[in-house]
Amino acid sequence: MMPGDVLNTDVLVIGSGPAGSAAAAACAQKGLRVVLIERELFPRSHPGETLHPGVEPLLKQLGAIEPVLAAGFLRHTGNWVQWEAQKHFVPFGEDDSGAWLGFQAWRADFDNILLNQARASGVEVLQPCQALRLLVDGCKVVGVETSQGTFRASIVVDATGGHHWLARQLGLQINYHSPRLIAYYGYATGECPARDDAPAIVADSEGWTWTAKVQPQLYQWTRLSLVGKQVPKDWLPDEFHGLKIHGKMHAADVTWRIVSQPAGSGYFMVGDAAMVLDPASSHGVLKAIMSGIMAGHLIAAELLGNLTPAQATQHYCQWIHNWFQHDVENLSKLYAMLPN
Ligand SMILES: Cc1cc2nc3c(=O)[nH]c(=O)nc-3n(C[C@H](O)[C@H](O)[C@H](O)COP(=O)(O)OP(=O)(O)OC[C@H]3O[C@@H](n4cnc5c(N)ncnc54)[C@H](O)[C@@H]3O)c2cc1C
């Protein structure tokens, strides 16, 4: 496709993080014609490596479980937690086949696997290709102008992450449910035996620190200050003492927020594009994949005539708002346990 060309498709998905690849694959599995555009070349780095075992059935549904298992990501049986009480181990649980295992999925590889799975499901992928401008006819979203030409689509799916590209293009309200929260994160190389069996979250009077082994000899930390304190550039958590800082420290806005209307005429928002919580909620990737699959089912139902557009969007908006509300209540209870 060349700049200036116009292409018609059933579904255009913008962004190929876990939410975008899941939505694209779910739509393609239902026989829809799907184009997925991603502005970055893969593999690209991204935070968010710790995945709860609950992600496995979703990966199975997408047909991605085998390549994920074959990737050899580190696995763990639970997390160390030091919140208001002594540090203790919280296991994920077990069934007849043994302990449930979470993943430390290196996101550059994990996101690439999901993208390849979307391709294998019949999705046409354009990369690098950036969404530039939303096309709207009356009050219906009808397509997107991109760096590689114009796409007209029956449904546009926004999976661009926490910058809320489509919501900002449409001028939709974003509702905030916490004070401004910035998560700082970085990596360190070396050996930290204390962190080799499982990740840990440790709260203190000003916030919390998350530490995890993400690859052999590579460790990740995330620090969230609840009092708005910035983390110095050369900071490392105490337990990483002796490790070497690897790459730059980064910051991400993790203020709790939700787009007022996460689906509407001609569009759906999935993953962080629809709602964001801070990483203590611990399942951003799972939520991204699940919302992608849910949107895929509803889009197919709408385009194949099994639901009216109003029914599909209403159902999705209700589902997203309920999930967000549930997570906000749980996170609020968690933070209420902290002394300050
Ligand atoms: C510090 C930190 C730690 C975290 N830890 C965890 C964790 O341990 N476990 C967990 O489950 N979650 C964690 N999360 C949350 C998790 O990273 C996100 O919830 C998840 O990545 C959301 O996936 P997504 O597909 O919605 O968006 P993203 O993964 O952000 O993907 C969006 C994609 O859209 C592309 N894009 C953006 N704009 C455009 C455009 N205009 N045109 C084309 N493409 C575009 C981007 O390049 C990107 O590839 C963490 C988050 C942070 C900040």
Side-chain angles (χ1 to χ4, degrees):
M1 187 164 179
M2 302 291 289
D5 287 354
V6 179
L7 194 137
N8 291 302
T9 182
D10 294 326
V11 182
L12 175 70
V13 180
I14 315 167
S16 63
S21 291
C27 289
Q29 284 170 358
K30 299 276 183 188
L32 299 176
R33 183 170 179 212
V34 187
V35 175
L36 171 57
I37 63 169
E38 164 59 51
R39 69 179 173 192
E40 290 191 37
L41 281 171
F42 276 18
R44 59 105 174 83
S45 63
H46 208 288
E49 296 90 354
T50 305
L51 308 186
H52 186 276
V55 76
E56 276 205 37
L58 303 178
L59 295 174
K60 274 188 194 140
Q61 211 169 319
L62 293 173
I65 188 66
E66 277 169 21
V68 168
L69 291 175
F73 296 128
L74 300 177
R75 310 290 305 264
H76 54 287
T77 57
N79 298 311
W80 288 99
V81 177
Q82 185 176 340
W83 204 248
E84 84 294 7
Q86 287 285 326
K87 193 181 260 185
H88 59 288
F89 190 72
V90 180
F92 293 129
E94 55 182 41
D95 56 21
D96 294 345
S97 61
W100 294 339
L101 296 175
F103 294 89
Q104 282 302 135
W106 187 242
R107 287 287 301 276
D109 297 337
F110 182 78
D111 288 15
N112 214 11
I113 290 172
L114 292 190
L115 178 58
N116 282 335
Q117 191 52 39
R119 266 196 198 96
S121 306
V123 173
E124 186 183 338
V125 178
L126 291 180
Q127 196 179 22
C129 177
Q130 182 166 3
L132 300 174
R133 197 171 70 85
L134 196 65
L135 303 176
V136 181
D137 187 359
C139 58
K140 186 178 189 308
V141 170
V142 293
V144 176
E145 251 176 45
T146 79
S147 54
Q148 291 204 35
T150 299
F151 291 87
R152 297 191 77 84
S154 304
I155 300 284
V156 171
V157 177
D158 180 14
T160 57
H163 296 293
H164 310 291
W165 183 83
L166 197 146
R168 294 192 195 284
Q169 290 274 317
L170 281 180
L172 296 179
Q173 190 172 322
I174 298 171
N175 296 323
Y176 289 81
H177 290 253
S178 76
R180 186 168 152 80
L181 294 173
I182 304 295
Y184 295 89
Y185 63 96
Y187 296 85
T189 52
E191 295 294 348
C192 177
R195 205 43 49 240
D196 284 354
D197 66 333
I201 187 163
V202 175
D204 53 57
S205 58
E206 294 187 341
W208 54 258
T209 302
W210 170 264
T211 49
K213 181 174 186 173
V214 289
Q215 284 194 333
Q217 295 188 311
L218 184 64
Y219 296 83
Q220 195 259 7
W221 60 266
T222 299
R223 171 79 192 158
L224 186 82
S225 166
L226 299 170
V227 293
K229 206 182 240 183
Q230 206 173 330
V231 172
K233 282 200 170 66
D234 55 355
W235 188 79
L236 277 183
D238 286 347
E239 72 172 22
F240 286 177
H241 182 75
L243 272 66
K244 193 165 168 253
I245 292 174
H246 179 77
K248 278 196 201 148
M249 184 185 83
H250 302 271
D253 182 348
V254 293
T255 310
W256 307 354
R257 57 194 188 269
I258 182 166
V259 177
S260 55
Q261 186 75 33
S265 189
Y267 75 87
F268 283 74
M269 297 168 189
V270 294
D272 281 6
M275 57 172 158
V276 174
L277 288 160
D278 79 66
S281 70
S282 78
H283 53 243
V285 170
L286 186 143
K287 203 154 43 186
I289 295 175
M290 197 146 164
S291 60
I293 292 175
M294 175 62 111
H297 285 307
L298 291 169
I299 290 167
E302 178 179 331
L303 296 187
L304 300 174
N306 300 324
L307 285 179
T308 65
Q311 285 170 330
T313 55
Q314 197 189 356
H315 184 91
Y316 187 73
C317 290
Q318 191 68 52
W319 183 76
I320 288 280
H321 277 278
N322 286 349
W323 196 354
F324 182 78
Q325 196 54 40
H326 174 263
D327 279 356
V328 162
E329 280 164 21
N330 283 344
L331 262 185
S332 302
K333 278 187 207 151
L334 191 70
Y335 283 120
M337 287 181 203
L338 292 178
N340 297 316

